[in-house]
Amino acid sequence: MNRTAPEQTKLTICVWHPFSEWRPPATLADAIRSRWPAMRVVHLPDYDRLAQELPDTDIFVGYSLRPKQLLEAKKLQWIHSTAAGVAQLMYPDLRDSGIIVTNPSGIFSVPMAEHTMGLLIALARNFPDSVRYQDRGAWSQQQLWDIHPLTELNGKLLLIVGYGSIGHELARRARAFDMRVWGVSRSGKGDATLAEKIVPVSQLREVLSQADYVVVSAPETAETRHLMGAAEIAMLKPTAYLLNVARGSLLDQSALIAALQQNKLAGAALDVTDPEPLPAESPLWRTPHLFLTPHTSAISDRLWPRQTALLLELLQRWFEGRELFNLVDLHRGY
């Protein structure tokens, strides 16, 4: 692949999402123009003009490009996804195109780890029900104890399913609370500095029954759909808690609802659901012992400064002919 020089390059930024913070601010395009004034940088606020801008685009920055749009992008060499999850790009035409795909993996790890740590504390201390009783003006000391005895995190076993950058940052914080940490990765390998052990996903069922808290933070692929299914949830002990901060597709929500309704789990927390946004009629809203946050774990006031710094570094490497990092494996899907 012959990489273009800045003066020969057109970079198109195009992201629209109902949530404003997922949309790139003008400062992203401004930073690129300031670094490479000769580069043509187009920042589209929505998809209305994308079709006319794609034919001569060399680099596309955004999280979605449909097969029909890919056909229009005759010069495209590189897609940089602004979302860490790239399942929406994993279709055959793109896999076979030779186009490079990168993502911002790593920039969400700290806020997601802090958010997840907050969920762990909230479940152990039953903050959700405390707030519900507060809204009713009720002093709920006895009621909270009767729902679930308030517990502590120290000494408890945290099983992190998907022991990548997010899992590693979570492990760092969990260790500060004197939790024991086990990791689960695709291969059973990983940085074991903060984990007592790391097991391959093929052994997931063997370790689930020993965990006090299970956090799902694995990537979304065809293989990880319902990674936590009915059989896996049934292996958890009734005092365990299950948390999903990955993607809604990784969890069998019907099985989770049944387990919580039948008191087969102490509780659960979801930052992601399937579908999103979660419809008002979804039974998840009314499931007992379930804490929901609206896919906010990755959101931070430092999001776009981190996105910008990472993209500028990748572009610098691109123009200097150096190896890119955060390359997506188009066959594995992450």
Side-chain angles (χ1 to χ4, degrees):
M1 179 178 290
N2 295 319
R3 298 184 183 183
T4 54
E7 64 273 12
Q8 303 167 325
T9 301
K10 177 181 176 181
L11 181 147
T12 300
I13 303 168
C14 185
V15 176
W16 189 89
H17 193 278
F19 177 54
S20 60
E21 193 59 18
W22 290 144
R23 303 175 212 156
T27 53
L28 176 63
D30 291 344
I32 298 170
R33 294 186 185 110
S34 177
R35 180 77 68 88
W36 296 282
M39 192 193 323
R40 185 181 173 198
V41 179
V42 177
H43 185 186
L44 303 176
D46 52 47
Y47 298 110
D48 291 348
R49 287 178 36 231
L50 182 58
Q52 62 194 78
E53 297 291 352
L54 277 175
D56 59 345
T57 291
D58 300 287
I59 302 170
F60 177 76
V61 177
Y63 71 86
S64 177
L65 200 64
R66 297 190 177 104
K68 180 181 177 181
Q69 295 167 324
L70 184 69
L71 289 174
E72 297 166 346
K74 306 295 185 183
K75 293 181 61 184
L76 191 62
Q77 297 188 63
W78 171 22
I79 296 173
H80 177 68
S81 172
T82 55
V86 291
Q88 69 281 1
L89 293 171
M90 295 301 103
Y91 48 87
D93 289 351
L94 182 54
R95 283 198 182 102
D96 298 337
S97 67
I99 294 170
I100 292 170
V101 179
T102 57
N103 71 1
S105 177
I107 71 164
F108 303 109
S109 301
V110 168
M112 289 187 70
E114 291 187 1
H115 187 101
T116 306
M117 203 67 226
L119 294 178
L120 290 168
I121 296 169
L123 291 174
R125 308 306 301 170
N126 201 355
F127 289 164
D129 282 323
S130 297
V131 173
R132 294 182 184 110
Y133 279 109
Q134 177 184 344
D135 289 343
R136 291 156 52 183
W139 187 258
S140 56
Q141 189 178 64
Q142 186 65 53
Q143 292 90 332
L144 290 172
W145 184 256
D146 291 342
I147 292 169
H148 277 303
L150 303 184
T151 187
E152 304 170 21
L153 294 178
N154 66 85
K156 298 295 178 65
L157 177 58
L158 170 62
L159 181 68
I160 303 175
V161 183
Y163 196 64
S165 61
I166 297 165
H168 192 265
E169 290 294 337
L170 175 58
R172 187 190 309 279
R173 287 151 180 80
R175 287 288 295 270
F177 280 77
D178 293 326
M179 298 187 79
R180 300 170 56 211
V181 177
W182 290 1
V184 178
S185 69
R186 184 175 180 271
S187 63
K189 299 177 182 178
D191 185 349
T193 307
L194 299 169
E196 290 181 13
K197 66 178 179 179
I198 303 173
V199 302
V201 71
S202 59
Q203 295 178 20
L204 174 61
R205 293 187 179 184
E206 298 173 25
V207 293
L208 281 171
S209 63
Q210 302 176 60
D212 298 298
Y213 294 86
V214 176
V215 171
V216 181
S217 59
E220 181 183 37
T221 67
E223 290 74 26
T224 58
R225 176 170 175 78
H226 285 190
L227 180 64
M228 288 298 299
E232 287 75 20
I233 292 172
M235 292 176 180
L236 297 172
K237 51 191 178 184
T239 55
Y241 294 86
L242 175 60
L243 300 85
N244 185 12
V245 295
R247 287 291 187 270
S249 66
L250 274 69
L251 174 67
D252 185 334
Q253 292 176 170
S254 297
L256 175 65
I257 291 169
L260 291 170
Q261 288 175 337
Q262 297 165 24
N263 292 315
K264 293 182 177 179
L265 282 180
L270 303 180
D271 184 57
V272 288
T273 61
D274 186 13
E276 290 185 11
L278 190 64
E281 62 272 15
S282 170
L284 284 172
W285 293 115
R286 294 168 291 281
T287 299
H289 315 309
L290 176 62
F291 187 21
L292 291 171
T293 56
H295 204 152
T296 51
S297 65
I299 298 167
S300 166
D301 55 358
R302 305 178 195 180
L303 168 64
W304 286 105
R306 285 180 176 136
Q307 286 268 27
T308 301
L310 182 141
L311 181 55
L312 290 177
E313 174 61 21
L314 283 171
L315 285 167
Q316 187 72 44
R317 288 171 174 250
W318 175 265
F319 292 129
E320 292 177 355
R322 293 190 287 147
E323 183 179 358
L324 301 183
F325 55 88
N326 281 15
L327 287 166
V328 172
D329 186 319
L330 298 181
H331 297 286
R332 290 186 179 179
Y334 62 92

